[in-house]
Amino acid sequence: GENVEQHPSTLSVQEGDSAVIKCTYSDSASNYFPWYKQELGKRPQLIIDIRSNVGEKKDQRIAVTLNKTAKHFSLHITETQPEDSAVYFCAASMGYESHSGYSTLTFGKGTMLLVSP
Amino acid sequence: GAVVSQHPSWVICKSGTSVKIECRSLDFQATTMFWYRQFPKQSLMLMATSNEGSKATYEQGVEKDKFLINHASLTLSTLTVTSAHPEDSSFYICSAKVDRSRNSPLHFGNGTRLTVT
């Protein structure tokens, strides 16, 4: 099955700096890569996603890049703010359809981002 | 946007009792819902895929007789933790997709924090 590795496990930055979180995946058939932000005790929330036909996607201060050849994708947060502090999870679709027509996601282990004022 | 409601948000139960967790899609129909478990400071681990009108598909290592899943309607899936033990204490989160597209994001419920004493 799919295996997703995520680094670093913790990341501390100063407010205004950029933060980069990297993930690799093993299943070359995976073609959907979302990123989720989870604040303490709350549900994961989708912040950005990218599909395999695109190499980069940007939404304001957040961007995601995908390198299909190397099977890695990264989350970039610019001009970080204290409210960006949370755990971020990358994920990849497993590349197969269940009998119901859905594919499941495999999550990375998460990165705790701490943004100091 | 798509709303997934999960209830209860937290529950404390005694060892040996059973606990039922409900997951509802409020403004869309979800033929498939996913149940995840998250231990403190760890990632989300898929437990099972809940399919409306048929048996759930369990991930390897998840006991189907202990974690009973029922998906009786297009908007409701339930997870029952039977004969709960302290090691079952965890954060359980359900999720669903709005459409059947392979590349569509998951929408998560708020999660249920289960503590077994």
Side-chain angles (χ1 to χ4, degrees):
Chain A
E2 176 66 277
N3 182 49
V4 177
E5 298 285 339
Q6 183 172 346
H7 298 281
S9 56
T10 59
L11 178 60
S12 295
V13 300
Q14 290 291 119
E15 182 177 2
D17 289 349
S18 296
V20 180
I21 302 171
K22 298 181 179 181
C23 288
T24 61
Y25 61 98
S26 61
D27 190 342
S28 58
S30 290
N31 58 6
Y32 176 64
F33 309 93
W35 285 88
Y36 287 86
K37 174 184 179 182
Q38 186 179 28
E39 297 177 5
L40 187 64
K42 296 187 177 180
R43 76 175 92 186
Q45 294 199 312
L46 179 72
I47 56 172
I48 196 167
D49 57 10
I50 191 168
R51 291 166 175 76
S52 60
N53 59 345
V54 176
E56 183 175 358
K57 184 177 178 180
K58 191 173 182 179
D59 182 4
Q60 298 182 338
R61 297 187 296 109
I62 296 173
V64 58
T65 59
L66 171 65
N67 183 326
K68 284 200 68 180
T69 303
K71 289 188 285 187
H72 67 70
F73 55 113
S74 300
L75 177 72
H76 304 253
I77 306 174
T78 58
E79 301 173 29
T80 54
Q81 301 167 2
E83 49 266 39
D84 293 331
S85 297
V87 178
Y88 292 81
F89 292 99
C90 64
S93 65
M94 293 188 72
Y96 67 86
E97 301 283 349
S98 71
H99 73 278
S100 63
Y102 285 87
S103 61
T104 54
L105 288 175
T106 299
F107 285 87
K109 292 188 181 298
T111 296
M112 177 174 287
L113 174 64
L114 299 172
V115 181
S116 303
Chain B
V3 177
V4 176
S5 175
Q6 188 172 338
H7 180 81
S9 57
W10 61 271
V11 59
I12 302 173
C13 71
K14 292 185 177 181
S15 186
T17 60
S18 295
V19 174
K20 180 185 282 188
I21 303 170
E22 293 186 348
C23 181
R24 296 180 184 272
S25 56
L26 295 186
D27 51 359
F28 65 100
Q29 294 182 334
T31 55
T32 300
M33 292 184 177
F34 305 90
W35 287 95
Y36 289 84
R37 180 168 55 184
Q38 185 177 33
F39 291 108
K41 298 184 179 180
Q42 294 189 25
S43 188
L44 297 99
M45 300 299 297
L46 180 66
M47 298 175 65
T49 302
S50 170
N51 305 298
E52 187 267 335
S54 65
K55 292 182 179 180
T57 305
Y58 289 83
E59 295 300 300
Q60 191 173 7
V62 178
E63 299 176 58
K64 62 179 181 181
D65 294 330
K66 180 170 183 63
F67 298 99
L68 300 179
I69 291 174
N70 184 280
H71 197 148
S73 77
L74 289 171
T75 58
L76 174 64
S77 174
T78 60
L79 169 68
T80 301
V81 183
T82 63
S83 187
H85 291 285
E87 55 265 32
D88 297 325
S89 298
S90 185
F91 192 52
Y92 293 86
I93 313 176
C94 69
S95 66
K97 290 187 176 185
V98 174
D99 61 65
R100 299 177 67 86
S101 168
R102 184 174 182 172
N103 294 334
S104 62
L106 286 175
H107 297 274
F108 287 89
N110 276 324
T112 298
R113 189 165 302 283
L114 171 63
T115 302
V116 185
T117 60

